[in-house]
């Protein structure tokens, strides 16, 4: 069997060489004061350095903290301060815009932006070889690795600004067994059968993160797609004989939109396992993917906080259209009404779940919020749904305002907090409405001050200067009489519901 490799564009690195770089980086991070339980922030696109830095942090018993590189300076600065990062590893092209928000005490290590990423995003070549010059000056780390900690992923969770999901190490035998079962069942990755995979999504998200790092750890072939492109993905599958890939429903939609002649022009016979999750998948989209690729489509349901607690395969998807699956081994679930009572099959309520053996977590610096979402040992991520008589879970709605657009969690409160400070805005409401490609898109209703000359373009420009572009509402409407509850709070559901009724779905 050939040695595992990581590929990106025309570049490649053997996994053994990447591991050696990680050992040298661990020595360097130790010299910068990184120890057990500390945090190393990564503001990197998918690149070899992402693997090297994350693995190096793990050797020292530290947490790697991947940060969404789309964020503006204030947003990224909040996470850097909140996680207490001592070191930041960042691509050169991202540094100028974010540098003003980096705390002075943070040591910054710069990675040259590679040519395939620069080409994918229309960037000028930037940076030198600072990261690899720094690595070359270190000797390999010799001490045994400390307890392996999962990456600390920041998520909006069920409320407010992003919170770091700080999980206990993968130390206990039960936890390691649970992780391995999940990787095999939900993602088609087993330690004794190294996979050939493409990482299509950014590794600051939990599933691309764990899939990329696990595939490398198992010694497979890991191809990094610099930016998702549907036809390019098909070409990569054919060229590298890819057998396992993780996608999100938006990617399904884009693949299905390719002309039949394009889709039929690529040899995809090597594909054995396609997994998806992160957002609801319309049953018709799932059916069309199965008709195209065969019964190799697998779906999981869970969250950064919970792990994958539900799973189903293609045959179950066709038999139970719209389900997100049944409990995996070790999974537990209860459906609760507003009073906290457990509901029987067929009745809609808030979903509380847990995966036994999965290491427990807290929200970094906000343990009170972690305790708020727990009931009788189970946790909720705010989704509403029901179990059918066979134990299959169906999602119906969300108990909170979180929007999932293209598989990305967005919390409207963040956007409203910025928009309410815009000159001329009296009040506002942001929520999700249906979108054929992304599942949901953001809509903002704005109540202007009397005489304020506001329009949609002005609002969007104001927001783009202050928050990540993907958080900027695609639709902006103006009302002088936003509906309000008795408390004075805007009645979002009255604004939101008409859009969803027209679509025939609730989530």
């Amino acid at each position: 069997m050939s040695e595992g490799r990581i590929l990106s564009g025309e570049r490649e690195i053997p996994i053994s060489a990447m591991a050696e770089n990680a050992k040298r980086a661990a020595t360097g991070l130790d010299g910068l004061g990184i120890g057990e339980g500390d945090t190393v922030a990564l503001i990197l696109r998918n690149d070899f350095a992402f693997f090297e830095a994350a693995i190096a942090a793990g050797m020292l018993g530290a947490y790697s903290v991947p940060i969404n590189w789309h964020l503006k300076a204030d947003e990224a600065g909040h996470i850097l301060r909140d996680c207490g990062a001592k070191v930041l590893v960042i691509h050169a092209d991202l540094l100028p815009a974010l540098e003003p928000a980096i705390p002075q005490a943070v040591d910054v290590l710069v990675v040259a932006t590679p040519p395939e990423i620069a080409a994918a995003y229309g960037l000028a070549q930037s940076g030198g070889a600072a990261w690899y010059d720094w690595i070359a000056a270190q000797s390999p780390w010799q001490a045994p690795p400390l307890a392996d900690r999962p990456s600390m992923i920041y998520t909006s969770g069920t409320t407010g600004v992003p919170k770091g999901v700080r999980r206990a190490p993968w130390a206990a035998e039960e936890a390691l067994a649970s992780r391995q079962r999940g990787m095999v069942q939900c993602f088609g990755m087993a330690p004794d059968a190294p996979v050939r995979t493409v990482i299509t999504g950014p590794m600051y998200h939990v599933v691309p993160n764990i899939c990329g790092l696990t595939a490398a750890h198992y010694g497979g072939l890991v191809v990094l797609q610099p930016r998702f492109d549907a036809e390019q993905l098909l070409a990569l599958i054919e060229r590298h004989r890819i057998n396992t890939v993780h996608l999100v429903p938006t990617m399904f939609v884009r693949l299905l939109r390719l002309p039949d002649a394009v889709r039929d022009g690529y040899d995809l016979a090597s594909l054995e396992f396609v997994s998806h999750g992160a957002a609801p998948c319309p049953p018709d989209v799932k059916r069309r993917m199965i008709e195209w690729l065969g019964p190799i489509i697998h779906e999981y349901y869970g969250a950064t906080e919970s792990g994958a607690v539900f799973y189903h395969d293609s045959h179950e998807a066709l038999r139970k259209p719209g389900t997100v699956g049944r409990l995996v081994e070790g999974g537990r679930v209860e459906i609760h009404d507003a009073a906290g009572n457990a509901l029987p099959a067929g009745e809609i309520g808030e979903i509380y779940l847990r995966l036994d053996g999965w290491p427990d977590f807290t929200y970094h610096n906000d343990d009170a919020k972690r305790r708020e979402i727990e009931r009788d040992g189970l946790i909720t991520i705010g989704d509403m749904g029901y179990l059918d008589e066979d134990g299959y879970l169906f999602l119906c709605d969300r108990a909170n305002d979180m929007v999932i657009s293209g598989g990305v969690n967005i919390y409207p409160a963040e956007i409203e907090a910025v928009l309410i400070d815009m000159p001329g805005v009296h009040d506002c409401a942001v929520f999700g409405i249906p979108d054929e490609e992304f599942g949901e898109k953001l809509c903002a209703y704005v109540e202007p001050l009397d005489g304020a000359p506001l329009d949609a373009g002005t609002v969007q420009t104001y927001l783009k200067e202050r928050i990540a572009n993907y958080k900027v509402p695609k639709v902006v409407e103006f009302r002088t009489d936003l509906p309000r509850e008795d408390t004075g709070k805007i009645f979002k559901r009255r604004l939101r519901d008409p859009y969803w009724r027209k679509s025939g779905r609730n989530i």
Side-chain angles (χ1 to χ4, degrees):
M1 182 181 294
S2 61
E3 181 182 9
R5 296 170 295 151
I6 305 178
L7 308 180
S8 184
E10 298 303 314
R11 299 180 306 133
E12 71 173 78
I13 185 171
I15 286 176
S16 59
M18 182 273 294
E20 181 70 13
N21 286 343
K23 291 179 182 179
R24 292 179 181 275
T27 299
L29 291 175
D30 176 69
L32 294 175
I34 296 296
E36 191 167 10
D38 287 333
T39 53
V40 177
L42 314 178
I43 305 183
L44 296 168
R45 298 180 178 89
N46 295 357
D47 190 6
F48 304 158
F50 192 110
F51 291 79
E52 293 157 352
I55 293 168
M59 289 180 184
L60 303 176
Y63 290 93
S64 62
V65 181
I67 297 176
N68 185 335
W69 51 264
H70 291 93
L71 299 182
K72 298 297 195 293
D74 287 347
E75 297 168 305
H78 162 75
I79 296 176
L80 289 170
R81 293 188 300 273
D82 186 73
C83 76
K86 291 184 176 180
V87 174
L88 167 63
V89 186
I90 185 170
H91 271 138
D93 67 284
L94 300 172
L95 181 59
L98 300 181
E99 194 165 20
I102 300 172
Q104 288 190 338
V106 175
D107 287 301
V108 179
L109 301 172
V110 180
V111 180
T113 305
E116 68 277 8
I117 289 176
Y121 289 94
L123 305 170
Q125 286 291 110
S126 58
W131 170 252
Y132 290 102
D133 286 347
W134 178 76
I135 284 177
Q138 317 297 328
S139 58
W141 183 251
Q142 299 294 332
L146 295 176
D148 183 21
R149 286 171 164 79
S151 298
M152 185 160 72
I153 305 290
Y154 268 72
T155 172
S156 292
T158 59
T159 182
V161 296
K163 296 175 294 297
V165 178
R166 187 180 179 105
R167 194 174 299 286
W170 299 104
E173 185 175 331
E174 185 182 14
L176 292 171
S178 178
R179 178 173 69 170
Q180 185 165 310
R181 282 197 305 270
M183 293 309 299
V184 172
Q185 183 176 28
C186 299
F187 305 110
M189 295 187 179
D192 57 350
V195 299
R196 304 173 69 84
T197 190
V198 180
I199 302 300
T200 59
M203 290 177 67
Y204 57 71
H205 284 315
V206 63
V207 173
N209 183 280
I210 197 170
C211 284
L213 292 172
T214 299
H217 179 67
Y218 288 170
L221 174 72
V222 183
V223 180
L224 305 178
Q225 188 175 24
R227 187 175 192 173
F228 179 76
D229 175 272
E231 185 174 356
Q232 183 192 63
L233 174 61
L234 301 184
L236 291 172
I237 291 170
E238 178 182 82
R239 178 181 176 187
H240 299 293
R241 312 308 300 154
I242 298 300
N243 57 23
T244 302
V245 66
H246 174 266
L247 304 171
V248 297
T250 297
M251 296 174 182
F252 285 176
V253 171
R254 292 182 180 179
L255 287 163
L256 291 169
R257 282 181 177 173
L258 292 172
D260 290 346
V262 172
R263 286 195 278 124
D264 294 343
Y266 291 94
D267 179 2
L268 308 181
S270 61
L271 266 185
E272 300 172 357
F273 201 104
V274 176
S275 60
H276 77 95
C281 183
D284 179 62
V285 171
K286 174 77 77 71
R287 178 186 56 77
R288 292 172 61 200
M289 287 295 294
I290 295 170
E291 289 173 350
W292 173 30
L293 297 177
I296 63 171
I297 311 294
H298 303 257
E299 182 175 3
Y300 61 90
Y301 169 73
T304 303
E305 291 88 339
S306 68
V309 186
F310 286 80
Y311 161 84
H312 70 286
D313 63 19
S314 293
H315 302 291
E316 293 170 295
L318 296 176
R319 192 170 73 251
K320 298 276 190 177
T323 186
V324 293
R326 289 190 293 177
L327 287 172
V328 301
E329 182 180 344
R332 290 188 284 147
V333 66
E334 289 183 1
I335 309 297
H336 287 184
D337 65 17
N341 301 307
L343 296 172
E347 293 197 28
I348 297 172
E350 190 164 3
I351 302 164
Y352 282 78
L353 42 67
R354 192 175 193 97
L355 183 58
D356 290 337
W358 202 249
D360 201 8
F361 76 98
T362 188
Y363 289 124
H364 186 62
N365 294 331
D366 197 353
D367 191 58
K369 184 60 66 179
R370 161 66 179 85
R371 293 194 299 273
E372 282 180 16
I373 68 170
E374 182 167 344
R375 178 176 286 165
D376 299 330
L378 308 179
I379 63 168
T380 181
I381 53 175
D383 283 345
M384 306 287 287
Y386 67 92
L387 295 166
D388 75 3
E389 66 281 359
D390 298 319
Y392 286 86
L393 181 65
F394 291 79
L395 303 182
C396 299
D397 205 347
R398 297 193 186 94
N400 57 68
D401 289 340
M402 189 178 70
V403 173
I404 303 179
S405 182
V408 178
N409 292 356
I410 306 172
Y411 200 77
E414 289 185 75
I415 304 160
E416 291 166 348
V418 177
L419 184 52
I420 197 67
D421 284 336
M422 180 178 179
V425 172
H426 174 64
D427 210 345
C428 61
V430 177
F431 50 91
I433 61 176
D435 184 83
E436 183 180 347
E437 181 174 3
F438 290 93
E440 285 185 271
K441 61 186 174 186
L442 290 166
C443 175
Y445 270 66
V446 177
E447 185 175 309
L449 292 170
D450 289 344
L454 297 180
D455 58 39
T458 304
V459 168
Q460 290 165 332
T461 298
Y462 178 88
L463 290 174
K464 285 177 181 177
E465 293 171 352
R466 292 162 175 81
I467 59 176
N469 289 355
Y470 70 87
K471 298 179 185 178
V472 176
K474 298 289 194 300
V475 176
V476 180
E477 301 285 352
F478 295 89
R479 290 267 295 265
T480 57
D481 56 345
L482 291 176
R484 298 182 185 276
E485 302 177 41
D486 292 339
T487 60
K489 183 179 179 182
I490 295 174
F491 213 139
K492 282 190 184 181
R493 189 163 290 280
R494 290 187 182 174
L495 299 172
R496 177 182 181 271
D497 282 357
Y499 293 94
W500 290 91
R501 279 197 297 270
K502 290 177 184 177
S503 74
R505 59 189 178 97
N506 294 319
I507 190 171

